[in-house]
Amino acid sequence: MANRLLAPPAPIHTTSQSLDASSENTIPSSSSTTEHSPLSLQVPSSPTSKSLGGETLRSRAESFNSTAETSRSRADSFNSKAETTRSRGNSDLTTLRSRFEGDELTTEEALRPDKSTEKDFETDNSPFAFSPGQLNKTLNPKSLAAYRALGGIYGLERGLKTDLLAGLSVDETTISEKIDFDEATATARSKPIDARPIIAQEAIVSGHAVQGQFEDRKRIFNDNRLPAKNRISIWRLFWNAYNDTVLLVLTAAAVISLVLGIYEAVGQTHDPSEGQPVDWVEGLAIMVAILIVVLVTGLNDYRREKQFSTLNARKEDRQVKAVRSGKSVMISVFDVMVGDILHLESGDSIPADGILVGGHGIRCDESSATGESDAMKKTGGSEVWQRMVEGTATSKLDPFIISGSKVLEGVGTYLVTSVGVNSSFGKIMMGLQTENEETPLQAKLGRMAKWIGVLGTSAAGLLFFILLFRFLGGLRNNTQTPAERGSVFTDILIVAITIIVVAVPEGLPVAVTLALSFATKQMYKENNLVRHLRACETMGNATTICSDKTGTLTQNRMTVVAGLLGTHTNFARDIDVSDEEKTILTFAAAFDRLSPDIRRLLLQSVAINSTAFEGEEDGRATYIGSKTETALLTMAKDFLGMGPVAEERAGVEVVQLFPFDSDRKCMGVVIRLANGTYRLLVKGAAEIMLDLATEELPDITVQSLESFELTESARQKAFANIDDFATQSLRTIAMLFKDFQQWPPIGVHTLEDDKSMARFEDVCQDMTFLGIVGIQDPLRDGVAYAVKRCQDAGITVRMVTGDNLTTASAIAKQSGIKTEKGLVMEGPKFRQLSDEEMDKALPNLQVLARSSPEDKRILVKRLKHLGETVAVTGDGTNDGPALKLADVGFSMGIAGTEVAKEASAIILMDDNFSSIVKAVMWGRSVNDAVSKFLQFQITVNITAVILAFISAVSSPDMRSVLSAVQLLWVNLIMDTFAALALATDPPTEKILDRKPTPKRAALITTNMWKMIIGQAIYQLLVTFVLYFAGYDLLGYDTKCSGLSGQDFTRCTDTLHTELDTMVFNTFVWMQIFNEFNNRRLDNKLNIFEGIQRNYFFIGINCIMVGGQVMIIFVGSTAFQITRIDGPQWAVCILCALPCLLWAVVIRCIPDVYAKMVFDFVCKVWLACARPVMKVLRVVFRPVGKVSRTVFAPTKRFTKRTVSKFSKKKSAEDEIFNKSKNSAAADVEAANASEMKTMTSPTTPSRQQTSAEFPLQPPPITLTTAT
């Protein structure tokens, strides 16, 4: 895995002026040497690592970490204000001593615990000098007084048993030697800096897994995990599934039916010839069916919750760069420990609280953590401590690194002091943990389910009143006993309620959840980490993708393959850049011609002006950082004789660092030379750099660095080389330099907060041209095919890159993005267009070269204005606005900054464009899965409700052909089994053969309505023929012709029961076969395509078939059916099977004609339905109020009972709640409870929760190809 966490160039330390020699608190310069005493750690034996010698580690880390020495050297050179203050302070220290807030506090006062955090100050048998509460005092709020009380950066180093240079030992388990508070803080004040104990270098690398690693640290300080949110227990999920008004009413009716049935069977005398009554079985069967529905629904919800918990854990995990045992290693953010040394670079999201050790130009956006909108400049902990000792510290000094904030610019390292629930961001997040977001599709289907439920409830209400009036009308001539009449009324109520259960499609939102959970899990396996569920469904309807080039379309494996030294010496390797007018040298020949001075200058431009450094990947030594910089370092190592980067940088004093800026397309560094002058080294985009150059080195073999004017012919020759490299898809980087007599130069603008730092724009002028290199980044395998598949799917792919126009066009042609009629434009020109001109150019725009993040944001904004559903990729901090603005933002998992990842909706874990195509496929699969289930469920709804309604109204005894238990079984098939089967169909390549769905397309398309209505007509026709004419068609009328009396009655009852069983069996089999029909949403006929890959579908259908067969054979009493023989089974199957053939006929009907019919029917339906709905609303409104009033006491009682049982919590839940309460108190004490959404003007706002997401994706609709 490539890494982006970079170390800065290392400044050399110069000797500062001596501090007050009489002060015991004075800390001498780090140049002094003292014998090191190793820190005693109880660790397993490990092999010695000779590669990590103390001197090597010390030289690199000293130049890297100690900003204080650099600051003192600057003070010597520039006569800074601090030095002036110190010189004056010798005469009158009492008068001029600088003060900071809390300067007058004693150690006890500065570290005094708050009432709400007293437990954080209590530790049991701790080997460390400080408790979590004492460490938190530095940031609750920021307190220099607490920092001083803890002994500064060196007291923290000693007290936390760590090392500012080598970090924690990877072999640490438990710590045998304890250290107390006084010993740790006294060490920082009384001993020289270099006398600080460090981890023994002979035993810091083991190369093997360590059991019980950091056991004591975890016990005292915890790890960097927040306790998991209280996941809903399975019992609560069961209760939620049951806590539905309709199910509660049905339960009450079932209880009444059971009681009446038992009373009829036990409490009354019956004719022995009629057998024992079994009416009580129906009530019991209904209760068992409800129990099964609740169990299945609860287990389904539990599985869904578990999957999303796993997804959230993956979403929060990321890799950070730490220094352990003297080596930079990648670790999980969850494994960060107190005492770790972590790297910082621009774009990082800070994972834990800490103190800055050292670095260059660190500025942080702390708006998400403190509400402070300004970019906060950070000062190294050693410099702050030195200023405290000298009496020049002020409240403006800020060494504090706050978790949750973002690094805007600069590079450095910091010491971790608080993690997990003890960190400031952790305390805030403990009180802000939210539920899973509802996606637009879930909300939309929820509203549709509500309307379908209203229609079904209206039908059930109408049936209830019709049967009730018939029942009341027949009471005068009714000879039944009161119990029997009560049973009849209960049966009427149960049938009506059961129709409501079937009619309400509560499975619709569940189907979306199942499809999303299945899709996100599979997408993770295909290198797409979904951070926001809405992005999964939105991506299926994307119409345009704005993609980066480097790392996404290309491999991000860069190699220098050609170049130009000066304006006369061309060199190349394994690539054709030859020209008849040019003399091309090999790399070795070209670099051998360099004079020592120019070789040294070129080496400085590559090694010093770089943020890459040496490290390990997969056990191999390599360079870690920007791939462009690692390519240059590799060239310098192979051909310039460069040694270890740390050694190259150790002898150079870095005065000022200009980090890479995506707007100016370059980076720079200022170094102090041995003769006291200063040299500015700059490298960046070749054509931009060439415009800044006015001089050149005419002869690279001459020892002198004397430069001459860059003539127009030489400039054009250099530009020709740039174009030559660009046409071969090479990235071109130019190097410039300029020498100054002093720094900052006279007459230039300086930074407001640091007068020793010059503005880049003022000094990067009239530069001397050094050379150009051409860097090859091969196209990824399969990118051209992936782009072609996107274009076939109706998705326009645009390339947005910072490369020049020629290079961008060449790569775009290779990948298939650029076509003959495609438009290529540069960012500066694009941003100058008016809105109307942009809108006119955008349909043909395919490549945006030399673009900035702002250009990308403008592009996304205008595309959305034109109605496009936009996906965009980004990896930099400044890409955040575009990633958030897009409908779906893709960040790079390897090369992306943490800010970009938090602004994105999906993280590409392999940075590969082909993975975006997989996201499109799964997005469409989610939408298709929901459409399939919607089509299936509405078909069942229509047929089941109409069949139950008409059969009950037409029946003499007012019984539906489908009993309550049978309808509950159908509901289980419809809401749960079908959702599992249809939501898990994996996508195929053919899913990309259709165009994206328009934003305003109907949720149910014409093609879907055609199948729904067509299948409903067939199913109703078959069941009505069997129900009303089956007795005659099957010859049942002649079977009992020879019987009379009770024998005739029993014979006809048996035949009617068999016929009802056949109707029920046929109806269920039609749903099973129709489920196969619904696997396709288009008009193609192969409904079995890919079925062998969907084990869920096969398994669910086996369960449904097995369950139906079992019901027919052994469920006679409970389901009010009887066994049927072979010929009757054949009739059922032969009546149900033709629905497959009927679907072929339906698909052959042109959608155009079907739409004309549906439009006419809809107009007639609406004209008739509106007045009916008004009447029903008037009728049922009081009924609803009465029912709520009646069942309110029962509901309250049940809730209280459940709450009593749910009070038993696990130990983890208790920790969570305690931490949450403590967090709330801490936030209130720190005045941080008001979370303001304030952002720095130089950075995007913090990642927002779904509830405050400013840019809602458009409504997601579903459609199919005809």
Side-chain angles (χ1 to χ4, degrees), residues 1000-1002 1004-1011 1013 1083 1146 1148-1164 1263-1264 1266:
R1000 299 186 181 276
I1004 304 178
T1005 64
T1006 300
N1007 200 28
M1008 293 172 63
W1009 275 122
K1010 185 175 65 174
M1011 185 61 67
I1013 301 300
N1083 286 325
I1146 294 173
C1148 291
I1149 301 174
D1151 289 352
V1152 177
Y1153 300 139
K1155 187 175 186 303
M1156 294 172 59
V1157 174
F1158 293 151
D1159 288 343
F1160 175 75
V1161 173
C1162 286
K1163 291 179 181 178
V1164 174
T1263 190
T1264 59
T1266 56

Side-chain angles (χ1 to χ4, degrees), residues 42-46 169-175 206-218:
Q42 183 179 330
V43 297
S45 59
S46 58
S169 169
V170 295
D171 289 329
E172 177 187 322
T173 53
T174 58
I175 300 176
S206 64
H208 63 272
V210 180
Q211 186 176 3
Q213 189 179 42
F214 304 125
E215 182 178 331
D216 278 338
R217 291 186 191 275
K218 292 179 182 179

